[in-house]
Amino acid sequence: MSSRYLVIHMSDPTGTELPQDEDQAILERWAAEGNTAGRLEMGAPVAGAEQAKSVAVRDGRTLIVDGPFPEFKEWFAGYDLITADSIDEAAEFMAKHPVAILGRIYILPLVKLPWERG
């Protein structure tokens, strides 16, 4: 049975730089494979942290501040949703994405909330 996964693209400064044309070619092959297999719901890259807001409500007060936590600011680059038979299959597929070379990819299983189960 297939499951859905959230894939978070992290810009990791320890990754290897790719020329733009090579990056684009790898990304296009990856997307074509994902679309052919019906496993990919394209996400999107996201704007830089300088355009982000963090929102929390504490003791009835809404707190809105610029950007996410500092350790997250420099890393989060985008996301996708994929379907795979296992997290290992999802990882094998994501190893073909250029961010796997440029940085790091996190794969998280999507779960249903308690009131959605049944």
Side-chain angles (χ1 to χ4, degrees), residues 39-79:
R39 68 172 60 172
L40 178 62
E41 295 176 51
M42 291 294 281
V46 296
E50 68 281 353
Q51 297 180 43
K53 294 286 183 190
S54 177
V55 179
V57 177
R58 301 292 181 267
D59 298 321
R61 289 188 36 219
T62 300
L63 308 170
I64 301 173
V65 297
D66 289 340
F69 293 110
E71 63 272 14
F72 199 66
K73 265 185 173 182
E74 300 169 18
W75 292 57
F76 185 64
Y79 71 96

Side-chain angles (χ1 to χ4, degrees), residues 69-91:
F69 293 110
E71 63 272 14
F72 199 66
K73 265 185 173 182
E74 300 169 18
W75 292 57
F76 185 64
Y79 71 96
D80 291 297
L81 292 172
I82 63 170
T83 301
D85 289 334
S86 68
I87 197 165
D88 292 325
E89 180 183 291

Side-chain angles (χ1 to χ4, degrees), residues 1-8 39-41 79-84 86-87 90 106-114 116-117:
M1 183 171 132
S2 294
S3 297
R4 294 178 69 214
Y5 299 89
L6 171 65
V7 177
I8 298 175
R39 68 172 60 172
L40 178 62
E41 295 176 51
Y79 71 96
D80 291 297
L81 292 172
I82 63 170
T83 301
S86 68
I87 197 165
Y106 294 121
I107 303 169
L108 299 102
L110 298 183
V111 297
K112 291 186 177 186
L113 295 169
E116 295 176 319
R117 296 181 187 141

